[in-house]
Amino acid sequence: MVNPLLFNMFTGMNVALLNQGIEKITRRAYARLVLIYKIYISQEFSGAMLSS
């Protein structure tokens, strides 16, 4: 027989770790997107400046 309290603690811990991992990956992906966006905008902006 598995102790329900122990089981709940264990699964809760795993879910917390999983959520933390997802959050970290999401944050990293978001930061990369922002970086790409900034580079794209700056290139577009300098391109517009040069052509005008």
Side-chain angles (χ1 to χ4, degrees):
M1 165 111 187
V2 179
N3 186 341
L5 183 67
L6 203 65
F7 181 73
N8 283 347
M9 273 176 59
F10 184 68
T11 47
M13 203 166 64
N14 279 353
V15 167
L17 283 172
L18 189 70
N19 283 345
Q20 201 175 19
I22 291 167
E23 193 182 337
K24 203 173 286 180
I25 291 164
T26 308
R27 198 173 292 158
R28 197 174 293 159
Y30 180 71
R32 193 169 293 158
L33 270 176
V34 169
L35 192 69
I36 291 166
Y37 183 69
K38 279 181 182 171
I39 291 166
Y40 175 74
I41 289 294
S42 64
Q43 282 178 348
E44 286 288 296
F45 188 66
S46 60
M49 292 280 285
L50 287 171
S51 64
S52 58

